[in-house]
Amino acid sequence: MEIKKLIQDGKTALGIEFGSTRIKAVLVDENNLPIASGSHEWENRLENGIWTYSEQDIAAGLQDVYAKLKRDVKEKYGVTLKKIGAMGISAMMHGYLVFDKKDKLLVPFRTWRNNNAAEAANKLTELFNYNIPARWSVAHLYQAILNKEPHIKDIAFQTTLEGYVHWLLTGEKVIGVGEASGMFPVDPVTKQYYPKMLKQFNELIKGKVPFKAEDILPKILVAGENAGALSKSGAKFLDPEGDLESGIPFCPPEGDAGTGMVATNSIKPRTGNVSAGTSVFAMIVLEKELSKPYPEIDLVTTPVGDLVGMVHCNNCTSDLNAWVNVFGEFASLAGLDIPKWKLYDLLYFEGEKGDKDCGGLLSYNYVSGENITEVNAGRPLFVRTPDSKFTLANMMRSHLYSAFATLKVGCDIMLKEEGVKLDKITGHGGIFKTERVGQSFLAAALGVPVTLMKTAGEGGAWGMAVLANYLIQKGKGEELSDYLEEKVFAGQEGITLAPDPENEKGFEAFTERYKRGLPIVRQAVENMD
């Protein structure tokens, strides 16, 4: 009855996150406890060589996930959702969405998964003396300019997926500082785009396009700032049944990296988190700038603008899932009805029994290209020598190691070469659902203890709802880090696993073999259509 009254009074917060394979909505109470949710499955598609989701996919997914949340509220509490205290939109980071002055999408959405802007990224990295990854929005923009694509003359606004959905619902062309830092470099002192780099970029594109970068980029806001309100048309779009009231305040839209930091209480210096799903990335909050730019490390910010070293890998669980599905097919063929969760548990636990170095087996999980290891396209591979110990346990362990191997290559630069200090790292994402296995292998990969929080399963949509709640409650003068520490995570239990020294040695041996074998994958890209 208490929750029912909270919902009726609008004392709730809603976070919606567009992940790679699922859109999720989480409604929380004043204490950030989830009270209702909805989810919608979707898949990107490869069209004309570009990984994309259509405008129709985005709209249908948004409406469906809200409808399911609304239904969940009705079934659990017997009330129709009409009022919400605050809302926030999150999505997979970066990518390329550009519109003309009539708000028409000029080319299909180019997601973070595309590696077609490497030339532009390299040139901008050299110009700025600052690492610009190929998936960043400015790299996509400059690549389109280099390619002399016809649409570039008509660009009036550029944003990312969550910026687009936020704009759709509120009419505001804004972005959270964490996501902004993956569009164009952001100064962690001013929390705004670097003026020097804006000037350099504008000189670079002068005469090629009729705009300056600052004219088309969204306005930057930090966590706790008001980012507009749900418009009447936005309310009608989100809830075509017409029950949802307009005027709901919105917090700044953030990328899944930012919501992951919030969901794992990892926004203070010397903390970090690893988000592991279709892609995997580590976010480590830095005490100071790195000694030099590294192509493997992106410099982005927390939702309040503090500097973060980010290692982003395009591939994590997709190939692993494909192998689990093959074993599921075999189980069906054998007349066994094994639930998917049990299949994962059986195979992951078997992987624990394998040799520490996977018995000489080698797995590459590259469903798509991987910038860190300079592999230009997806070619998942499983490789062994005649004398490798080819067992189910070693095979599964190699696939699980492979999910974190590229991440380790990038993180080793920060932790070993730059001496970055980490007090804790928190993991979240689907690979950790099976108890202990993914967590212990990540600890071995990074050489630091890994903590899983009970809330980690709620993911970025919950983290976005927390940021929406912070918007409402920020009037009390709390910094976001204090709010998380005292109001969100106080008293929460976490399970921490320290790295096992033997697993660490085994992972090191696997990684050395993994790095030596990379030319095999590059040859597969060249010779296997």
Side-chain angles (χ1 to χ4, degrees), residues 102-383:
K102 293 182 179 178
D103 301 339
K104 178 190 171 189
L105 183 66
L106 291 168
V107 290
F109 171 35
R110 298 171 184 176
T111 78
W112 58 270
R113 202 171 183 181
N114 292 290
N115 285 333
N116 59 327
E119 179 191 0
N122 292 336
K123 288 183 176 180
L124 292 175
T125 296
E126 188 177 344
L127 176 69
F128 296 153
N129 192 31
Y130 191 100
N131 183 37
I132 304 295
R135 69 183 182 279
W136 277 23
S137 304
V138 67
H140 280 291
L141 173 63
Y142 187 48
Q143 191 65 54
I145 294 169
L146 288 175
N147 294 345
K148 299 180 180 177
E149 296 185 37
H151 75 272
I152 58 172
K153 68 182 186 306
D154 298 318
I155 298 173
F157 178 49
Q158 179 177 9
T159 190
T160 61
L161 180 54
E162 71 270 29
Y164 166 62
V165 176
H166 181 97
W167 175 38
L168 199 65
L169 297 177
T170 67
E172 299 290 338
K173 295 179 179 179
V174 300
I175 203 78
V177 65
E179 178 68 341
S181 65
M183 293 191 73
F184 192 96
V186 165
D187 182 347
V189 177
T190 64
K191 325 293 187 195
Q192 298 299 317
Y193 304 114
Y194 270 111
K196 180 184 174 184
M197 295 184 201
L198 282 173
K199 187 176 179 183
Q200 289 173 312
F201 186 71
N202 289 334
E203 282 296 317
L204 188 66
I205 63 173
K206 192 174 182 180
K208 297 170 184 166
V209 289
F211 56 78
K212 292 182 177 179
E214 58 267 35
D215 297 334
I216 65 169
L217 288 168
K219 179 184 175 184
I220 296 178
L221 298 173
V222 299
E225 289 189 298
N226 194 300
L230 184 66
S231 65
K232 287 183 179 179
S233 60
K236 185 67 179 171
F237 182 83
L238 190 58
D239 182 15
E241 293 176 339
D243 294 312
L244 185 63
E245 296 177 9
S246 61
I248 298 165
F250 270 66
C251 65
E254 267 297 351
D256 52 4
T259 58
M261 284 187 271
V262 171
T264 55
N265 193 20
S266 305
I267 67 163
K268 284 184 177 179
R270 297 175 68 121
T271 67
N273 80 93
V274 169
S275 173
T278 303
S279 63
V280 61
F281 54 86
M283 311 285 291
I284 298 173
V285 188
L286 304 175
E287 295 179 283
K288 60 180 182 179
E289 293 201 18
L290 301 178
S291 64
K292 62 180 181 179
Y294 292 93
E296 300 89 350
I297 301 168
D298 309 352
L299 292 177
V300 292
T301 77
T302 69
V304 293
D306 292 329
L307 195 64
V308 172
M310 176 184 187
V311 176
H312 182 283
C313 311
N314 289 346
N315 300 280
C316 184
T317 58
S318 293
D319 188 49
L320 188 54
N321 295 341
W323 281 97
V324 173
N325 288 339
V326 166
F327 284 108
E329 285 185 40
F330 174 76
S332 297
L333 195 63
L336 301 173
D337 184 15
I338 304 176
K340 185 61 76 72
W341 66 267
K342 190 171 184 182
L343 200 57
Y344 275 97
D345 281 0
L346 285 170
L347 292 167
Y348 281 27
F349 287 136
E350 186 65 16
E352 273 192 314
K353 301 173 187 174
D355 295 319
K356 304 299 185 185
D357 68 345
C358 306
L361 304 183
L362 194 49
S363 172
Y364 292 96
N365 64 339
Y366 295 166
V367 173
S368 63
E370 197 61 79
N371 295 317
I372 286 177
T373 48
E374 298 178 0
V375 175
N376 296 328
R379 296 293 186 274
L381 288 178
F382 177 66
V383 186

Side-chain angles (χ1 to χ4, degrees), residues 31 39 48 74 79 101 180 213 233 249 260 263 286 295 325 328 344 372-373 380 385 402 430 481 509 522:
N31 297 313
S39 70
N48 301 315
K74 185 75 171 177
V79 291
K101 59 186 178 184
S233 60
L286 304 175
N325 288 339
Y344 275 97
I372 286 177
T373 48
T385 62
S402 179
S481 57
R522 297 183 190 121

Side-chain angles (χ1 to χ4, degrees), residues 7 14-16 24-27 35-39 61-84 235-245:
I7 293 168
L14 173 61
I16 298 176
K24 187 172 182 184
V26 174
L27 189 71
I35 55 178
S37 65
S39 70
L62 177 63
Q63 290 177 335
D64 185 54
V65 78
Y66 181 81
K68 287 174 177 171
L69 171 84
K70 185 179 174 184
R71 192 181 315 138
D72 193 36
V73 169
K74 185 75 171 177
E75 288 172 357
K76 283 180 176 173
Y77 310 108
V79 291
T80 299
L81 188 58
K82 295 181 179 180
K83 295 180 180 180
I84 299 170
K236 185 67 179 171
F237 182 83
L238 190 58
D239 182 15
E241 293 176 339
D243 294 312
L244 185 63
E245 296 177 9

Side-chain angles (χ1 to χ4, degrees), residues 487-510:
K487 300 290 171 62
V488 182
F489 291 95
Q492 274 208 24
E493 294 177 28
I495 299 168
T496 302
L497 286 182
D500 175 271
E502 293 304 310
N503 279 347
E504 278 193 86
K505 285 181 193 173
F507 213 125
E508 287 291 344
F510 177 85

Side-chain angles (χ1 to χ4, degrees), residues 17 256-264 266 272-277 279-281 283 404 425-433 442 450-453 455-460:
E17 181 159 279
D256 52 4
T259 58
M261 284 187 271
V262 171
T264 55
S266 305
N273 80 93
V274 169
S275 173
S279 63
V280 61
F281 54 86
M283 311 285 291
F404 296 127
I425 196 143
T426 306
H428 64 119
I431 201 169
F432 302 114
K433 285 183 180 178
L442 177 61
V450 174
T451 300
L452 296 185
M453 305 294 292
T455 50
E458 299 296 344

